[in-house]
Each structure stands twice: as C-alpha cells, then as structure tokens.
Amino acid sequence: MGWGNFTFRKMGEKVVISLADCFQGYHFLNPVSIDRLEQISEKLNCKRNSVLIRQDKIQKDIYFLASGLARVYYETADRQITLDFVSPGGTLISMNSYVHDTPGYENIDLLEDSIVYKIDQKKLFTLYESDIAIANWGRKMAELEFIKAEQRTMSKLFNTAQERYAELLEKYPQYIQRIKLGYIASYLGVSQVTLSRIRANIL
Amino acid sequence: MGWGNFTFRKMGEKVVISLADCFQGYHFLNPVSIDRLEQISEKLNCKRNSVLIRQDKIQKDIYFLASGLARVYYETADRQITLDFVSPGGTLISMNSYVHDTPGYENIDLLEDSIVYKIDQKKLFTLYESDIAIANWGRKMAELEFIKAEQRTMSKLFNTAQERYAELLEKYPQYIQRIKLGYIASYLGVSQVTLSRIRANIL
DNA sequence: TAATATTTTTAACAAATGTTAAAAATATTC
DNA sequence: GAATATTTTTAACATTTGTTAAAAATATTA
C-alpha cells in the first residue's frame, strides 16, 4: 500500500505502472519468477467509485494499482477513518484477509478510473511453497508494507495535523486537489471543520 | 516494585517460553529448520532496565522474549510514546533496522529481568536464500507482525482511552500493576493526568 | 523504622478541537 | 447556462484534554 515510489510525469498525464514494476518495487525478481506471478494475475479496468475490498467480506486476493487512485479506510457504525491513499505502483491488500482467510478491517475504494492487477492468493500461496525467490519476494512485500504502515503511524503520533497537511500538499499536490476534504481530514485525524481552519491559516 | 513483584512471586508464575515455541508461534516449522535457526541464536540473561534496541543505533538482529517484560517506545526531543508492551513469546524487532540495515524508530527496554534469544540477522538472511521453509517462516513473521501492529492502530483509532485501559486491565492484570502509569498513559495516547481521571472514574 | 525519593492523584485554569447549523463556493446534471 | 446537488467555509458554543503545580500515596534506602 502507500503512495508509490514512482516519479510522476507531467501534470495531467496519466501514470501507468507495469505489473512487473509493481513486483520489482518490493524486491528484485528473476524473469522466470516474474512470469510465474504474471500467470496468476488478471488485469481489470475499474470505474471510479468501484469497491475493491470490503471489511465485511473475505478478500484474500492482492491487487496492484497500475493507474488511478485508491483510498483505504476503516469504518464503524458512526465513523469512517481514512488510513491511506494509494497511487500507481502501490499494493491494495487486506492483510488480515490475505493471511487468515477471514474478513479484514479495511475497505478499499477507487477514487478514479483505475487499472488494477488481481493476484490469486491461493495460487500465490502454492508458488510460495515451490519457488524460493517468490517466497522471499512475498516476505519482502510484508516487511516493506509493515515499514510503510509504521511510518504512517509515526507521522500521526509525532506530527501535528497542520504539519501533515503541509507534507501532503508538498508531496502530492496533483492528488490532494482531487480528494474530498472529509477524506483528508479523517486521514489527518481531525474533523473537517478543523482542516478548514488549518487551510485558512496556511493559505 | 514492591506490591506487584510480591504478587507475582506469590503466584509463582514466571512464564518461560522455549525458543522453538517462539518460532512456532508464527508458523509450523520442521525440526531440521528449527535446528538451523537455533544454531544462529544466542541466549541472553538481561537485567531489568536493560536497553535492547535504541532508535539511534543500527540494530539488525531480532530478539525473542522467553521470559520477562519489554516496552517498545518512540522518542523525540520532547516526548516519548509507548507503542507496545511485549510479554513472553513475543518478538522484539526494529523492522526498519532489520530490513534496511539503518537506524529504526523504536527503543526497546526491558521492564523486568528477562531471558531473550538473539538471532543473528545476517545469518538469518543467508538461511532465507537456501531454506524455503525458513523463507516462508520469515514471511509469516512479517505478515503476522503487520497484523498485530494493525490491530494496535485500529484499537487506538476506534476505542477510547478508557475502553483501551479496561482492555489492558483485563488482558494483562499481572503486568499492568507493575508498569508506571506514565508509560501506560502514553500507550493509551493521553496524558498521565487524564489516565488518573479515567482510573478515578472506573474504580 | 525513619528519612528520602518516586509515583500518583487532585485542583485550577487555559487552549484546542469537536459539534451543529447556516452560508458560501464549487461541481454536476439536464 | 440555469437549476440542483455537493462540498467547503465560517460562526457560536460546549466539551474535552493538556498544563502546571501542589498534595497525597507509595516505594526505596539507610
């Protein structure tokens, strides 16, 4: 998950990341193993507002976002909290579902028309048992996703909402303008009213 | 720590987890692979208040806590935030350091005299390349640590400090009484004064 | 056990943020 | 492009939590 590490082209141009680059984003992989992973992948064209993963459904498969934009959020009866925005090259996964075959916590929606690759979990688990390069790639994926999640946690613990908003603006101006303030506010951990106040101070 | 310690000794319940059980906590492992892991492990007897991992040092190795109690925390110039308490059977790791060989975020101290096993990261990485069972065990470790961290995040996002304190009390009554309120307060994400108010309400 | 040090609770006040509701701005649809 | 719907900002007020400092309780040391 997370904002991909890929540099953006000119504003307005649509970023498209290849599936192989999504894989290699975690770890070097030899061509044979890449081919094996591609064979258990399926390309999907999804419309804006599609729901990829729902917290009440078992969603074992992994998605790689080739283009578009996604939002990851948790939900209770009365609240919805945005955990992350994911840009092309990023991974969309409900780790709990992927690991335990049970419903996870996260909902994942697409905020834009997107291209995603779906990897069949069952077939991936089979590859883990037979291909040590893929097993280590899968290890690396979990490790790096852990670190990304940890960085988000750290940022939320130690930086003010104002600092984090400024960071977002600087790092991803092209996306922020397309995302509803309510989503951003819940990502920052404040109410939308407070985010409006922050914006009024900054601008 | 008088009162808590007394209770503990009286109950005669010092928990000790074997190294093999620490390993198997993540995933089944065959005896041959367990043996390989044990060969790169070192048993350490550590005193209360020992520092295992410091955020400003590279600490690549992993520790398994066989007995005792540990605290994981992040620190800045003006604040210290407790992330987790770890009880026997748990793993002590600075994931960023373990993965990237760079200083991580976490400090880990022992709150009690403890027995820990240290696993040499370099040798572990070598095993990952040659033993597919260990590679998948390492994958499982990262995946399950991710899920544990996610659960902590979820709990902090959706439960009140009061609810989380009640949970702690129920889950680790024997430990909580031995931990300073300041540590618990920062784990809950409130000031110590607020935690005192919570306790006054509950009791 | 007395003396000292540490930890926890309480009190008073200040500051920050949430809530509700209405107005303004912007986007979408026909 | 006008009408409608959605999103964002602003205002007023209430509530929560943090801060500081002192008192009380508990633990440690000699």
Side-chain angles (χ1 to χ4, degrees), chain B residues 95-125:
Chain B
M95 189 66 81
N96 201 57
S97 219
Y98 162 76
V99 171
H100 288 136
D101 282 15
T102 59
Y105 299 118
E106 39 274 284
N107 299 278
I108 304 183
D109 292 0
L110 297 172
L111 299 180
E112 308 283 340
D113 293 351
S114 303
I115 301 169
V116 303
Y117 291 93
K118 177 180 179 176
I119 315 290
D120 186 296
Q121 178 240 37
K122 214 167 179 180
K123 291 175 185 163
L124 178 59
F125 280 14

Side-chain angles (χ1 to χ4, degrees), chain B residues 34-45:
Chain B
I34 288 182
D35 194 60
R36 287 180 181 142
L37 286 177
E38 282 178 340
Q39 274 170 22
I40 62 168
S41 306
E42 183 188 353
K43 184 177 183 174
L44 302 170
N45 285 288

Side-chain angles (χ1 to χ4, degrees), chain B residues 1-3 190-191 194 197:
Chain B
M1 289 198 177
W3 196 80
V190 295
S191 71
T194 298
R197 292 197 268 236

Side-chain angles (χ1 to χ4, degrees), chain A residues 42 44-67 69-73 86 90-94 97 106-112 114-118:
Chain A
E42 182 187 354
L44 301 171
N45 286 287
C46 301
K47 283 275 154 209
R48 178 171 139 82
N49 291 329
S50 304
V51 178
L52 271 193
I53 289 176
R54 294 183 59 111
Q55 64 183 9
D56 53 353
K57 295 251 172 84
I58 298 174
Q59 180 45 265
K60 307 184 288 187
D61 301 327
I62 304 178
Y63 298 91
F64 289 98
L65 187 67
S67 77
L69 185 63
R71 178 173 78 104
V72 182
Y73 60 100
V86 181
T91 306
L92 306 171
I93 182 173
S94 171
S97 219
E106 39 273 285
N107 300 277
I108 304 183
D109 292 359
L110 297 172
L111 300 180
E112 309 282 339
S114 303
I115 300 170
V116 303
Y117 291 92
K118 179 180 177 175

Side-chain angles (χ1 to χ4, degrees), chain B residues 134-176:
Chain B
I134 293 180
N136 278 299
W137 173 84
R139 175 175 59 80
K140 218 71 189 171
M141 172 166 66
E143 289 170 358
L144 294 181
E145 288 299 326
F146 181 105
I147 289 171
K148 281 188 211 164
E150 182 176 55
Q151 282 169 340
R152 288 196 299 270
T153 300
M154 274 290 287
S155 168
K156 204 160 186 178
L157 286 176
F158 284 108
N159 300 324
T160 64
Q162 173 150 346
E163 288 165 344
R164 300 179 69 224
Y165 180 67
E167 248 174 53
L168 270 187
L169 270 188
E170 192 177 350
K171 216 169 166 189
Y172 306 109
Q174 67 277 46
Y175 288 130
I176 292 311

Side-chain angles (χ1 to χ4, degrees), chain B residues 3-22:
Chain B
W3 196 80
N5 240 343
F6 173 74
T7 304
F8 194 63
R9 263 190 260 111
K10 191 168 126 195
M11 303 198 314
E13 265 182 17
K14 189 172 175 188
V15 181
V16 183
I17 308 286
S18 75
L19 181 54
D21 280 349
C22 289

Side-chain angles (χ1 to χ4, degrees), chain B residues 42-59:
Chain B
E42 183 188 353
K43 184 177 183 174
L44 302 170
N45 285 288
C46 301
K47 282 275 153 209
R48 177 171 139 83
N49 292 329
S50 305
V51 178
L52 271 194
I53 290 176
R54 295 183 59 108
Q55 62 184 8
D56 53 354
K57 294 250 172 85
I58 297 175
Q59 181 44 264

